[in-house]
Amino acid sequence: MDAVNLLDMDAQGLDRLVESLGERAFRARQLKRWIHRQGAADFESMTDLARSLREKLTGRAMVSAPAILAHSTAADATQKWLLAVGGKDAVEAVYIPESDRATLCISTQAGCAVNCVFCSTGKQGFSRNLSTAEIVGQLWLAEHSLRRQNNIPPGRVERMISNVVLMGMGEPLQNYEAVLPALRLMLDQDAYGLSRRRVTVSTAGMVAQIDRLAHDCPVALAVSLHAPDDALRDRLVPLNRKYPLRDLIAACRRYLRSAPRDFITFEYVMLDGVNDSDAQARQLTRLVDQLPCKFNLIPFNPFPGATVRGSPPQRVQEFAGRLAAAGIVTTTRKTRGDQIDAACGQLAGAVDDRTGIAERDRRGAGKLAALRVIAS
C-alpha cells in the first residue's frame, strides 16, 4: 500500500487516520501541530507522540511538499519558489513582505484553463489540478523556509506569513475539492491559525462555487473583473461567456452575507485603450451600485507575445479618481517581484503549452487589436 501524504489531510482526515490506527483521538491534534506548526516531516522527531503511533506511521504515511526546482529573491525582498509537482509540471509560490503584513501567493493548478488575455500563465494552457498536499505544501515549505532564513530556533512558533492569497497559477474554484481542505488547514489554530480575513480566494467568476464557498468556508473574496460589460469581458476573460456579469455580481451580493469582510475586492488590470476610459469607469460604478466593494487597479506586467499593453500611469490615476469620486475605495497595486517574473500575471513555471492556446493566440493576435476599437 502506498504511503499517504499527511499534507493532504485536514483535521477530519487526520482524525480518521489516527482512529484507523487504533490510537486515541488527541494524537491527531498532536500530529497536526508537529507537521504544520513545527514543520516536522520526520516522525521520530515528534517526541511527544506515542512510540506505537510513530511506528505505525513509518512506512504508512509521509510528509511531502513539492520539491524546489529554483528559488530567487528580488531587490524588494520578494521571493519566488519554482516547485516540481510531477512529470513536466511545475508551479510557483511568491512571498511578498510589506511593513504591515507578509503575504504568500500560492498556486492551485498547474497551468490555467481560463486563458485571460493579459495573463502569461493562461497562455501555457492547463495541465492538471493540484492536490491538497501540493497546495498547502507551498505554505508549509515557504513558512518553514522563512523561519530558517530568519534563524528562528526549531520548536519556537513565530509565524512569518500573515496573509495567504490564492492568486497564483490556476483558477482556485475550478479545483474546489482540493482547495477546501487546504483552506481549512490555513485557518486551523493547530496548523497555521490564519484569520478568515487574511486568507483570500481569487476567482475569475465561478458563480456556483462562490456560493459553495460561502457555505463551506467563507474567507475573503477577490473577483477578477477587468471589464465593465459582457461584450468586453467575454474577450478578456472567456469564462464570462458561461458566467456573465449579472450572475457574477448577484453571487457577490450573496457572498457578503457570510463573508468575513464587509466588502468584495474587484481586481482590474489596466489595459491601454481597452478598458481604461472615463466612460468605462462610469460603467463600473453603475455595475457595482449598492454593492460594498473595493477596486484594486493592477498595472499590466508584460510578457513575451503579449498583445496588449498597460495603461500609462496618468491614465491609471485618472481612472482611479473617477471611481473614488463615485465613493468606491480604490487602490493601485504596486508591482512587486517583476525582476524575477513574480508579479501579477507573470507566473509561468515550466508547464508545457498542452492545449495549443499559445499557438492559437499567435495566429489570432490581430483579434486583440480590435479590442481598442470596440472599447473606444
Side-chain angles (χ1 to χ4, degrees):
M1 183 176 68
D2 292 337
V4 297
N5 190 348
L6 300 188
L7 291 180
D8 258 325
M9 297 184 179
D10 59 10
Q12 292 180 340
L14 288 174
D15 286 343
R16 289 191 295 268
L17 174 67
V18 167
E19 181 182 6
S20 73
L21 296 176
E23 297 288 338
R24 297 171 65 182
F26 75 91
R27 297 297 186 191
R29 185 179 181 188
Q30 288 180 308
L31 188 56
K32 183 171 48 178
R33 286 183 169 187
W34 274 110
I35 295 168
H36 298 288
R37 293 181 70 174
Q38 303 292 345
D42 175 14
F43 299 126
E44 284 305 309
S45 70
M46 303 178 185
T47 52
D48 64 351
L49 283 187
R51 176 158 293 280
S52 61
L53 177 54
R54 282 182 274 164
E55 291 173 350
K56 291 172 185 176
L57 289 171
T58 301
R60 300 185 189 184
M62 61 180 176
V63 178
S64 179
I68 300 174
L69 295 174
H71 172 242
S72 50
T73 302
D76 62 8
T78 298
Q79 297 187 43
K80 182 176 78 169
W81 290 270
L82 177 63
L83 306 170
V85 291
K88 295 183 179 180
D89 293 329
V91 299
E92 292 172 330
V94 179
Y95 170 69
I96 308 164
E98 298 178 84
S99 60
D100 61 341
R101 71 189 67 187
T103 301
L104 184 70
C105 177
I106 65 177
S107 300
T108 55
Q109 296 178 313
C112 184
V114 176
N115 191 29
C116 297
V117 161
F118 44 80
C119 180
S120 71
T121 304
K123 300 310 169 189
Q124 308 165 74
F126 173 73
S127 181
R128 67 173 180 85
N129 287 326
L130 300 187
S131 67
T132 296
E134 290 166 337
I135 296 168
V136 81
Q138 296 169 64
L139 175 56
W140 183 87
L141 185 151
E143 172 67 32
H144 299 292
S145 294
L146 290 165
R147 290 187 197 180
R148 289 190 294 273
Q149 289 177 27
N150 287 273
N151 298 313
I152 296 175
R156 192 174 92 195
V157 177
E158 185 174 327
R159 292 192 182 98
M160 302 301 301
I161 294 167
S162 64
N163 295 59
V164 174
V165 294
L166 278 67
M167 295 183 181
M169 297 176 72
E171 162 58 57
L173 296 186
Q174 285 184 336
N175 188 15
Y176 191 87
E177 300 305 325
V179 164
L180 182 59
L183 290 175
R184 287 174 170 160
L185 278 169
M186 293 173 199
L187 303 176
D188 194 318
Q189 290 301 314
D190 293 316
Y192 302 95
L194 297 172
S195 162
R196 290 180 185 272
R197 295 170 57 88
R198 291 178 174 268
V199 176
T200 302
V201 170
S202 175
T203 178
M206 305 285 294
V207 168
Q209 287 84 344
I210 290 173
D211 288 333
R212 287 184 68 187
L213 188 65
H215 177 268
D216 294 338
C217 189
V219 293
L221 185 69
V223 175
S224 297
L225 194 61
H226 310 306
D229 62 82
D230 284 320
L232 180 57
R233 195 166 190 269
D234 283 352
R235 295 170 179 264
L236 295 180
V237 185
L239 189 66
N240 193 72
R241 298 164 193 166
K242 183 174 182 180
Y243 301 108
L245 284 171
R246 179 178 177 178
D247 295 342
L248 176 56
I249 296 301
C252 291
R253 295 185 191 279
R254 292 191 297 272
Y255 194 84
L256 281 174
R257 300 170 192 164
S258 306
R261 291 180 173 177
D262 58 1
F263 62 89
I264 300 292
T265 298
F266 288 115
E267 308 282 353
Y268 199 92
V269 173
M270 297 294 294
L271 302 175
D272 185 26
V274 175
N275 66 353
D276 62 352
S277 71
D278 289 346
Q280 287 164 322
R282 290 192 292 271
Q283 280 183 282
L284 282 177
T285 63
R286 292 193 294 270
L287 178 69
V288 301
D289 184 45
Q290 302 300 312
L291 172 62
C293 64
K294 167 186 172 182
F295 268 82
N296 190 5
L297 305 184
I298 304 172
F300 171 68
N301 294 302
F303 55 88
T307 53
V308 290
R309 63 187 181 190
S311 303
Q314 181 64 29
R315 177 86 292 258
V316 175
Q317 184 177 353
E318 292 169 354
F319 194 89
R322 293 280 182 180
L323 297 180
I328 299 172
V329 176
T330 305
T331 60
T332 301
R333 180 181 293 175
K334 294 182 294 184
T335 297
R336 296 288 300 273
D338 54 329
Q339 297 170 329
I340 53 173
D341 287 339
C344 181
Q346 288 185 320
L347 298 185
V351 182
D352 288 347
D353 177 21
R354 300 188 181 191
T355 64
I357 286 175
E359 178 59 29
R360 291 201 303 275
D361 284 350
R362 281 192 290 272
R363 293 198 302 267
K367 296 179 181 178
L368 262 295
L371 286 177
R372 294 184 178 84
V373 178
I374 294 170
S376 62

